[in-house]
Amino acid sequence: TTDRATGDALVHGIRSAGLKPTRIVRVRDISDPENPTERLDVSAIRDGTYKPSEAAAQAEESSSDSISRALERQGGNRVYAVYDAAGDRWDAIVLDGDRQVLGFLQATWRTLRLRGVERRSVVSLRQAAERAALLGYAAQAAGVRTPKLVGIGEAADSMMLLQSHPRGLRAIEDMRASEISDQALEDVWRQLDCAHRSGLAHRDITNSSVLFGKGEDGQQEVWLIGWEDGDVASSELARSMDLAQMLAVLALKVGAERAVATARKVLPDTVLTPLAGLLQPVVFPSAMRELTRANREIIEATRQELAELAPSELTTVVFQPVRFGWRTVVIALMVLFAIWAVFTRFNFDQMLQAVQQADPWWMVASFVLSLTSYVGAAMALVGFLPGRISFRKAVLSQVAGSFTAITTPGNVGPIAISLRFLNRQGVRTSLSAATVALSQLALFVTTMLIVIGITIATGQTGALSYLPTTAIVVVLCVVGASGLLLLIPQLRNWLWAKAGPTLRQVWPRVVWVLGRPKRLIFALVGTSIWFGGFVAAFWAALVSFGLDDLPLSSLALVYLLGNTAGSAAPTPGGLGGVEIALTAGLRAVGVATATAASAAVLFRAITYWARVPLGWVAFRHLQKHGDL
């Protein structure tokens, strides 16, 4: 059970902060249409004894104040209007222990999930109050207009932050766009920039954080409240998230064009342009997420305004605030399922006996042969790309793909690395996408031609003879049915709408390559080396178990079908699926189950897991030198 400070305990806590109250009024959001008068909680102080009061009019006056409601909405804490004997008003923000536990769990989850959010050691209510006080004092010292903290009190399981009450302020959510001048919007950015220059980050900017009032000169001036969850020594990403949150708040009120235009008068374009990648729900506080989702067109318009600030040929740095999302959680569960499937499907006692009898030198040979695939993939990438880039760096980018393969299904990670690498080399995004797509297409076509060529040249049908007639019939039926479906105009148009943009990007590259035979040959040799390296590594893994009599066509076909079918599994690198598919393929050509499983797992350990450390080294090297 909780022991929130109420009644006499609340009065005692406020007095311990250095104030002698004569009246305390609970601030409620009286704009709530659900019978707001029943939510008023009024307290009167007479002779030091807490007594309920029926002064509903006084409560309504206190709660109708815009800054009071903004304080209540901003942090979700209890807020009280406190009056002293002189009639001066103060605001008491009450932090309760039960809410602190929930807030700590939410902050921990957000810290784990988001980059740029510092881990905190705050575990107690007192530490939370002290941190809030520190942020308040730091914001004031930085020159930010924010209510002045005048004392901290404690009672029961609650802490009270007592602060001054600026009068005449209105929260931006309570105002119309026409009531806010461009000069005031510029002042918003100046206030936030003032905090950032002192190393502060707010981290919780909502439409209750920004308030407008009249200055001594009669002009609108801006106040920023709610610094309790901020950072004193913040990271660049945390400050950029502040800017993205403020952009969303202003754009939703005055429109994307005014929000960006006024920001540009205070901040340089180099600071604003990367914010386009941060305008996403995960960056916004929970109080703003539903509002931004309901006004996606405004957020998208803001993103477009930011994107237009940078020249099209300039590659801008886009922050990625999320360490992991729900997709990563799902993939992790799939990995666990794949590992469970592998460990429950195979007889590991027999596999262990087989591995103990394997030749370690052939295992090393398998690993070395697999490394040639990096060279082949880099040759394909360079061959299809107009202009010149460093071949050594291209090879390293393919090595780095092995590191990202442990977190993404299929070839998604290596492809993303190739795109990022080409972008960092100054290649336009559209040209990078077309080059990578063409290289992947060439890998597939070359692989199929090699398998067919080996079969025809050697006269060995190999694994082809093991394919059941019914399977061939099913494949032919699927191909025929697909052809008939393409006769339907609606389906044909839908397919073209999906594939057309990619084909339009790739086709100019195809024409360009066909006009340069040397480039085409270089790229095709690279794709052949890529496929040959994996087949040679597969062969060496089988030889280590004494399986040196399988036809070459069988090896190539088993690898091709096994890797293709297994990679369709939605797990990182096809984990689990590839092992099972390769084992099934080897069993189909007559290899004993235990040996087939051992060879498949060994091959995957060599060509997947053993290459991850190399990928990490290459990834860090390219990052260090600005190539990723």
Side-chain angles (χ1 to χ4, degrees):
T1 60
T2 61
D3 187 20
R4 289 186 173 190
T6 58
D8 289 334
L10 177 66
V11 176
H12 174 74
I14 292 175
R15 283 178 170 171
S16 67
L19 186 68
K20 295 182 179 180
T22 59
R23 189 169 75 254
I24 300 175
V25 179
R26 172 72 183 271
V27 172
R28 296 285 196 179
D29 185 0
I30 65 167
S31 63
D32 191 329
E34 297 181 0
N35 201 4
T37 56
E38 294 182 0
R39 299 180 66 227
L40 297 175
D41 179 12
V42 183
S43 305
I45 310 302
R46 294 190 182 91
D47 301 326
T49 305
Y50 171 82
K51 295 180 181 180
S53 172
E54 298 178 355
Q58 297 173 350
E60 184 170 341
E61 178 185 355
S62 299
S63 294
S64 62
D65 186 86
S66 184
I67 186 174
S68 301
R69 288 187 284 123
L71 287 170
E72 196 266 343
R73 291 168 179 166
Q74 173 68 22
N77 299 302
R78 288 189 288 159
V79 178
Y80 290 85
V82 181
Y83 298 87
D84 59 15
D88 294 328
R89 176 177 169 179
W90 311 85
D91 291 320
I93 301 175
V94 182
L95 309 181
D96 295 311
D98 54 337
R99 290 195 56 84
Q100 173 63 20
V101 173
L102 179 60
F104 174 74
L105 295 176
Q106 292 174 337
T108 301
W109 169 251
R110 189 172 175 84
T111 300
L112 291 174
R113 193 181 179 197
L114 297 182
R115 295 183 175 93
V117 179
E118 287 74 10
R119 291 181 175 84
R120 297 177 174 182
S121 59
V122 176
V123 294
S124 70
L125 181 62
R126 175 178 290 274
Q127 288 175 314
E130 290 173 348
R131 184 180 183 88
L134 172 63
L135 264 297
Y137 288 133
Q140 294 170 36
V144 179
R145 295 189 198 96
T146 192
K148 181 180 180 181
L149 184 67
V150 295
I152 305 177
E154 180 180 14
D157 194 22
S158 299
M159 297 287 295
M160 296 81 180
L161 302 176
L162 200 63
Q163 62 185 35
S164 62
H165 178 78
R167 295 185 179 275
L169 300 185
R170 295 176 64 193
I172 191 173
E173 63 182 328
D174 299 325
M175 301 177 67
R176 296 188 300 271
S178 59
E179 297 179 282
I180 306 174
S181 66
D182 285 350
Q183 176 270 333
L185 293 176
E186 293 173 27
D187 194 31
V188 171
W189 296 109
R190 280 192 288 268
Q191 286 291 297
L192 190 57
D193 186 54
C194 182
H196 288 176
R197 289 179 182 274
S198 297
L200 303 181
H202 191 288
R203 284 184 41 180
D204 192 29
I205 297 176
T206 70
N207 50 14
S208 297
S209 306
V210 184
L211 298 102
F212 295 88
K214 293 288 186 180
E216 295 181 357
D217 58 357
Q219 299 294 321
Q220 279 186 319
E221 61 180 18
V222 174
W223 290 62
L224 299 181
I225 66 171
W227 291 89
E228 292 84 2
D229 293 324
D231 289 324
V232 177
S234 60
S235 66
E236 179 184 358
L237 182 53
R239 296 191 293 273
S240 296
M241 291 167 66
D242 270 5
L243 297 175
Q245 292 173 6
M246 187 64 80
L247 262 177
V249 169
L250 297 186
L252 290 174
K253 177 58 65 173
V254 302
E257 186 175 352
R258 283 187 69 191
V260 175
T262 53
R264 293 185 68 188
K265 293 182 179 180
V266 179
L267 303 172
D269 289 353
T270 53
V271 172
L272 295 175
T273 303
L275 301 182
L278 283 176
L279 292 175
Q280 47 186 297
V282 70
V283 172
F284 305 137
S286 56
M288 290 292 295
R289 285 176 199 153
E290 289 302 321
L291 190 59
T292 54
R293 288 192 181 103
N295 295 274
R296 293 177 181 173
E297 68 283 354
I298 297 179
I299 301 301
E300 181 58 33
T302 308
R303 191 179 290 115
Q304 291 298 326
E305 290 282 340
L306 293 173
E308 292 175 1
L309 300 183
S312 58
E313 67 273 8
L314 179 63
T315 301
T316 59
V317 178
V318 177
F319 293 117
Q320 178 51 260
V322 182
R323 287 194 177 99
F324 62 90
W326 290 112
R327 182 178 300 177
T328 306
V329 175
V330 172
I331 289 176
L333 294 176
M334 288 181 176
V335 170
L336 294 176
F337 176 78
I339 294 174
W340 172 82
V342 171
F343 274 82
T344 56
R345 188 177 181 90
F346 300 139
N347 188 327
F348 280 89
D349 290 334
Q350 295 180 357
M351 289 175 58
L352 181 60
Q353 295 177 4
V355 171
Q356 290 174 344
Q357 298 173 2
D359 189 337
W361 291 109
W362 278 110
M363 295 181 189
V364 175
S366 177
F367 177 74
V368 174
L369 289 170
S370 73
L371 298 181
T372 60
S373 64
Y374 293 136
V375 179
M379 290 174 63
L381 191 66
V382 172
F384 291 128
L385 181 69
R388 296 182 179 277
I389 61 173
S390 169
F391 183 74
R392 180 184 65 84
K393 291 182 178 179
V395 173
L396 287 175
S397 71
Q398 302 307 301
V399 177
S402 299
F403 174 61
T404 60
I406 64 174
T407 59
T408 56
N411 290 323
V412 174
I415 290 175
I417 287 292
S418 297
L419 287 172
R420 178 64 175 168
F421 169 71
L422 292 179
N423 283 335
R424 297 298 289 176
Q425 301 306 304
V427 182
R428 296 192 311 272
T429 302
S430 58
L431 182 58
S432 300
T435 301
V436 173
L438 185 57
S439 65
Q440 293 295 312
L441 179 62
L443 288 173
F444 174 75
V445 173
T446 304
T447 297
M448 296 299 297
L449 292 177
I450 289 176
V451 173
I452 296 174
I454 292 174
T455 302
I456 295 175
T458 62
Q460 298 172 324
T461 58
L464 293 174
S465 61
Y466 292 90
L467 290 176
T469 305
T470 54
I472 298 177
V473 172
V474 169
V475 171
L476 292 176
C477 290
V478 171
V479 173
S482 301
L484 292 175
L485 289 175
L486 290 178
L487 297 177
I488 303 174
Q490 293 83 351
L491 179 61
R492 190 168 60 249
N493 294 336
W494 179 81
L495 289 174
W496 177 250
K498 295 295 183 183
T502 301
L503 293 176
R504 282 193 290 268
Q505 285 183 340
V506 172
W507 180 247
R509 295 291 94 229
V510 173
V511 174
W512 182 86
V513 171
L514 291 177
R516 292 163 176 78
K518 291 184 179 179
R519 287 276 189 147
L520 178 61
I521 293 173
F522 183 79
L524 293 180
V525 169
T527 58
S528 301
I529 292 175
W530 176 86
F531 180 69
F534 278 117
V535 172
F538 191 39
W539 169 76
L542 292 173
V543 172
S544 68
F545 291 94
L547 302 173
D548 54 0
D549 56 348
L550 290 178
L552 183 59
S553 59
S554 295
L555 283 174
L557 188 60
V558 168
Y559 169 75
L560 173 62
L561 296 180
N563 188 67
T564 303
S567 296
T571 56
L575 182 63
V578 174
E579 288 84 353
I580 293 173
L582 290 176
T583 301
L586 290 174
R587 289 179 59 189
V589 297
V591 180
T593 301
T595 305
S598 301
V601 172
L602 175 64
F603 172 71
R604 286 285 284 168
I606 290 171
T607 59
Y608 182 69
W609 293 108
R611 307 202 311 178
V612 169
L614 293 178
W616 181 82
V617 173
F619 185 87
R620 296 296 296 174
H621 175 80
L622 292 175
Q623 273 194 327
K624 181 179 179 181
H625 291 83
D627 294 310
L628 275 185

